[in-house]
Amino acid sequence: MDKFLYLTDQNENTEHSFIGPLFEKYLGKHLEVDIMYFSKTSDKFEIKNKNHFIMPLKHKHDIINELDRNKIYIGKYKYVFVRNHTAILKEVINVKHEYNFILGYRLSFPKRIAKLQKDEANNKKSFFDVISNKVKTFSEANLINQCDIFLPTSRQMRDDYLKSVKTRTFIIPSAIDPEVLHENIQHDGIEKRFFYAGTLDKLREFETILEAFCLVDPTQFKLMISTKDPEYAQTMIEKYPDIKENIELYNANNKAQLLDLIAKADVGLASLPDIVLFNSSTPMKVLDYYSSAVPCLMTKNENNASIFEDNYSAWMCEFDKNAIKDKIEEIVSLSKEEVSKVGIQGQNRLLDIRNYKRIADDLVHQLNIL
């Protein structure tokens, strides 16, 4: 089989719930895939599981030479892909003329834009930050245009942030693994259990969702929250004493724990502010919810509407406390069977258009025609 090298920006200990299924499991059925991760703790280059290259972080600006020193020659690969890291991409481009590999660039999430908008939400954005971002975006687009293929999470992400990119584009969205689905565990309570997974900060305006729940009969719901910053969450919850007793706070340490919690919920929450950053792709939490056939309440935007149908495979509304309140009340009025049906229909929809096996098969087809 042809050899494929994926140079990631990820730490070796990070849960690779996207990279593992798509690149290693399913793309690995077509190509001999090697994946490079970084280590913040090791000073020595290692090879784990035969195809995981663990690169000490101190070598992040000298990737190719360090691979060479360990007898991993980039010229032996037919495909070399870089994930998110433009400095690594530039290094690979500098040697591309020496070899005959096909070069791809994967943009999973516009982290720099996210930081800029987060700083704006916290009143920390400066004029210098805006100018710096424009310069870096121009440079990034120029590098991508020297690649053979560009793989953003959505076409909207490319159009919103990298309009000048002309390279062939193949969309790789968040998806679910058709071989790893989880049973939805029905609880005994009469209330509907809502679940929110992920970051809580000013940019996400989670207070809007809490304000919506304050307008709903508290006997009708429980709200489960799993976040990496439970102290921030607890401080936020204290501001809403009327629903405090209805909220259960968790800190899932890994994806397995998170999926166990999600499986016990009735409805997932993915309502986010109507801004370009959140509208350009499907949050990973949505895929986690539907892996357990847990239907989702999400923001009504073009991206979500292109995948799901309101009141059939998901629920959608504007990001407004009254609109969210109305949808919550609509959901709690449904029977458990009606709620579960929406989850199953949503999961089936994702299995049709957003599953890693199909994406990997389509990617191989795109690579074969380059």
Side-chain angles (χ1 to χ4, degrees):
M1 288 193 290
D2 291 325
K3 292 174 69 67
F4 181 103
L5 177 62
Y6 195 28
L7 303 173
T8 80
D9 59 339
Q10 295 286 287
N11 185 279
E12 64 168 319
N13 297 318
T14 303
E15 286 196 88
H16 309 118
S17 56
F18 184 101
I19 296 173
L22 178 59
F23 288 96
E24 190 165 6
K25 181 177 181 179
Y26 291 113
L27 193 64
K29 295 180 184 298
H30 303 275
L31 302 168
E32 186 179 330
V33 177
D34 293 330
I35 304 175
M36 186 203 75
Y37 298 108
F38 285 105
S39 173
K40 295 180 179 179
T41 57
S42 176
D43 287 329
K44 184 179 179 182
F45 182 90
E46 297 180 77
I47 298 177
K48 296 183 178 180
N49 302 323
K50 295 183 179 180
N51 72 326
H52 289 187
F53 304 153
I54 311 303
M55 179 73 67
L57 193 60
K58 66 181 181 180
H59 295 307
K60 68 177 181 179
H61 298 301
D62 195 28
I63 298 296
I64 294 173
N65 285 334
E66 184 62 18
L67 289 172
D68 280 348
R69 282 191 286 270
N70 288 277
K71 300 181 180 180
I72 298 165
Y73 306 114
I74 199 167
K76 290 186 176 181
Y77 291 91
K78 183 172 182 178
Y79 307 101
V80 179
F81 279 29
V82 177
R83 183 183 191 271
N84 291 336
H85 207 303
T86 53
I88 296 177
L89 178 61
K90 187 175 182 179
E91 186 179 346
V92 176
I93 287 173
N94 286 339
V95 301
K96 187 177 188 298
H97 68 280
E98 299 177 26
Y99 307 104
N100 196 32
F101 59 75
I102 291 171
L103 177 59
Y105 183 66
R106 162 69 174 159
L107 180 63
S108 65
F109 185 72
K111 295 179 182 179
R112 189 176 63 255
I113 306 296
K115 183 181 183 304
L116 194 67
Q117 294 193 346
K118 184 177 180 179
D119 287 346
E120 183 177 17
N122 289 288
N123 297 313
K124 293 181 180 179
K125 187 177 78 170
S126 69
F127 177 73
F128 174 79
D129 293 331
V130 176
I131 297 300
S132 175
N133 176 64
K134 288 184 177 180
V135 172
K136 289 177 179 177
T137 299
F138 176 82
S139 175
E140 184 176 20
N142 182 54
L143 290 171
I144 295 170
N145 280 330
Q146 297 177 64
C147 296
D148 299 293
I149 189 168
F150 176 44
L151 305 101
T153 297
S154 70
R155 191 167 299 279
Q156 188 174 352
M157 183 182 291
R158 184 201 65 181
D159 294 345
D160 287 337
Y161 300 116
L162 294 158
K163 294 182 177 66
S164 61
V165 168
K166 305 302 180 185
T167 297
R168 176 192 289 270
T169 298
F170 177 76
I171 305 303
I172 298 187
S174 302
I176 59 178
D177 186 340
E179 295 180 359
V180 186
L181 302 177
H182 303 268
E183 185 179 358
N184 190 327
I185 303 169
Q186 293 294 315
H187 60 86
D188 295 328
I190 61 170
E191 79 282 355
K192 298 296 189 303
R193 288 183 165 260
F194 293 81
F195 191 94
Y196 178 87
T199 304
L200 298 174
D201 57 20
K202 287 187 178 180
L203 187 61
R204 285 162 176 79
E205 299 180 33
F206 192 71
E207 293 91 340
T208 300
I209 294 176
L210 293 176
E211 289 167 7
F213 275 105
C214 285
L215 302 175
V216 178
D217 180 353
T219 66
Q220 299 296 305
F221 72 88
K222 288 286 185 183
L223 175 56
M224 306 163 67
I225 301 172
S226 180
T227 178
K228 297 295 184 182
D229 193 352
E231 291 183 6
Y232 182 93
Q234 189 62 54
T235 300
M236 183 186 296
I237 292 167
E238 293 293 336
K239 300 175 185 177
Y240 301 91
D242 291 346
I243 60 171
K244 182 180 175 182
E245 298 303 316
N246 291 66
I247 300 175
E248 299 173 359
L249 194 58
Y250 299 91
N251 179 13
N253 292 319
N254 52 54
K255 180 56 72 74
Q257 289 183 11
L258 178 64
L259 294 176
D260 284 344
L261 289 170
I262 290 173
K264 299 172 185 176
D266 298 300
V267 180
L269 293 171
S271 294
L272 293 165
D274 187 11
I275 61 176
V276 172
L277 179 66
F278 296 141
N279 290 346
S280 63
S281 61
T282 306
M284 196 65 216
K285 64 171 65 70
V286 172
L287 287 305
D288 290 338
Y289 297 149
Y290 281 100
S291 290
S292 293
V294 171
C296 188
L297 171 58
M298 60 186 69
T299 308
K300 187 176 182 180
N301 60 41
E302 183 178 345
N303 178 71
N304 290 335
S306 71
I307 304 168
F308 300 100
E309 183 179 343
D310 189 22
N311 295 323
Y312 178 79
S313 52
W315 295 280
M316 300 182 206
C317 67
E318 307 297 330
F319 191 77
D320 168 84
K321 71 175 183 180
N322 290 312
I324 296 172
K325 183 266 295 185
D326 290 343
K327 276 295 184 181
I328 292 172
E329 290 184 334
E330 179 183 330
I331 292 167
V332 299
S333 71
L334 300 174
S335 68
K336 284 191 177 183
E337 290 73 21
E338 289 171 317
V339 171
S340 295
K341 185 177 180 181
V342 174
I344 292 169
Q345 288 165 168
Q347 186 184 84
N348 288 337
R349 170 64 172 163
L350 289 172
L351 287 172
D352 283 341
I353 66 168
R354 287 285 190 93
N355 83 69
Y356 287 125
K357 182 181 183 305
R358 178 167 294 181
I359 293 170
D361 292 345
D362 290 344
L363 176 57
V364 169
H365 175 72
Q366 288 293 317
L367 296 179
N368 286 336
I369 63 177
L370 286 174

